[in-house]
Amino acid sequence: QSALTQPPSASGSPGQSVAISCTGTSSDVGAYNYVSWYQQHPGKAPKLIIYEVYKRPSGVPDRFSGSKSGNSASLTVSGLQTEDEADYYCSSYADNNIVIFGGGTKLTVL
Amino acid sequence: QVQLVESGGGVVQPGMSLRLSCAASGFTFSDHGMHWVRQAPGKGPEWVAVIWYDGSRQYYPDSVKGRFTISRDDSKNTLYLQMNSLRADDTALYHCAIEGGPMGSKIEYWGPGTLVTVSS
C-alpha cells in the first residue's frame, strides 16, 4: 500500500502547458481506470478536477486534462493561469478495495 | 448546495479514543458511499475508510485496520469515524468526502475537516 509517486514540484509560465506524472503499479494505476486528480489551494480542502483518468466534473475548465499509460497517469494543465498555482494530488483505486494517494506536486506559475 | 461539516476533533493522548462526526446536507446521503480521508500537516492526503451507500461494506488501509471503524446513520444524515488506540502518527486534519461513483472512482466533494492531535 505504498503511495503513488509524483514529482515534488513543477512550474510553468502563464499560457504555457505543464504535465504532472503519477506513477503506481500493476495493482493500482495499471489495473483500474479509476485515477483521479485533485487541486488544493492553501488552507482549502482538495477539489476534484479529474476522475476516471480523463473525465472532468462540471465546472472544471477544459484546460485540465488527464491520461494514463500502463502504470502511470498524467495531468496536463494547458494555458496556465496564475490561479492554477496550487498543490496537485493523484489517487487511484487499488486491489483489496483501497484508495491510494500520491505525495503531491506543487505547481508554481512563474 | 452540498455541505459536509466535520466535528469531534481535538487533542488526545496516545492510546485514547475519539469519535468524529460528519453532518451532510444538500444531497441524498443514503444514495452515496462515504469516505474519511486525512491529511497530516504539510503532507498529502491519506485514505482512511469507506462505507458503502447502504452500510453493507466497510474497507480500511492497513494503517488503521482494527483500530478505526466507519459507520453511518442515514436517519441523521451523519457519518462517523470511531478511532481507538490513537497514535502520534494519526495526527491530521480529517475530512469526510462523498463517493460519486464506483468505490474509489470519484471522491467528488470534501468537507473542510476536523483536526485531531495525538500528543502526550
Side-chain angles (χ1 to χ4, degrees):
Chain A
Q1 300 182 359
S2 299
L4 305 176
T5 300
Q6 297 181 237
S9 63
S11 63
S13 299
Q16 289 187 332
S17 294
V18 64
I20 299 171
S21 63
C22 171
T23 302
T25 70
S26 58
S27 297
D28 40 65
V29 175
Y32 307 96
N33 288 323
Y34 288 164
V35 176
S36 298
W37 289 90
Y38 303 86
Q39 177 192 63
Q40 187 176 33
H41 287 108
K44 300 290 189 180
K47 173 189 173 185
L48 179 69
I49 56 172
I50 295 288
Y51 68 100
E52 293 181 15
V53 178
Y54 63 90
K55 298 178 181 179
R56 282 187 307 277
S58 174
V60 174
D62 60 5
R63 303 185 293 102
F64 293 92
S65 61
S67 63
K68 191 187 92 167
S69 177
N71 295 339
S72 292
S74 183
L75 171 72
T76 299
V77 186
S78 305
L80 271 174
Q81 299 183 4
T82 55
E83 60 261 36
D84 298 334
E85 185 161 295
D87 293 325
Y88 291 83
Y89 298 96
C90 60
S91 74
S92 176
Y93 175 76
D95 287 352
N96 300 314
N97 292 289
I98 65 171
V99 176
I100 301 176
F101 283 87
T105 299
K106 182 176 182 60
L107 175 61
T108 301
V109 181
L110 303 170
Chain B
Q1 74 278 22
V2 172
Q3 195 166 16
L4 298 172
V5 180
E6 302 91 341
S7 61
V11 180
V12 295
Q13 294 183 335
M16 301 294 284
S17 299
L18 207 57
R19 188 174 87 152
L20 307 183
S21 300
C22 168
S25 60
F27 66 104
T28 305
F29 183 70
S30 58
D31 282 352
H32 289 271
M34 296 292 296
H35 299 265
W36 285 99
V37 184
R38 68 185 180 186
Q39 198 165 12
K43 302 291 187 180
E46 179 188 12
W47 176 75
V48 171
V50 66
I51 186 166
W52 250 231
Y53 73 100
D54 59 358
S56 61
R57 303 182 191 183
Q58 306 87 36
Y59 296 103
Y60 310 89
D62 289 345
S63 58
V64 307
K65 194 176 297 182
R67 298 189 300 122
F68 290 12
T69 303
I70 188 173
S71 62
R72 63 191 298 156
D73 184 339
D74 289 355
S75 69
K76 296 181 179 179
N77 284 355
T78 301
L79 179 73
Y80 301 101
L81 185 68
Q82 177 67 43
M83 305 186 295
N84 298 331
S85 303
L86 282 161
R87 311 186 304 219
D89 62 359
D90 294 319
T91 293
L93 187 64
Y94 283 73
H95 303 271
C96 63
I98 303 168
E99 175 59 69
M103 189 288 195
S105 68
K106 188 182 182 185
I107 303 178
E108 64 180 344
Y109 187 82
W110 302 45
T114 186
L115 183 62
V116 173
T117 303
V118 184
S119 174
S120 54

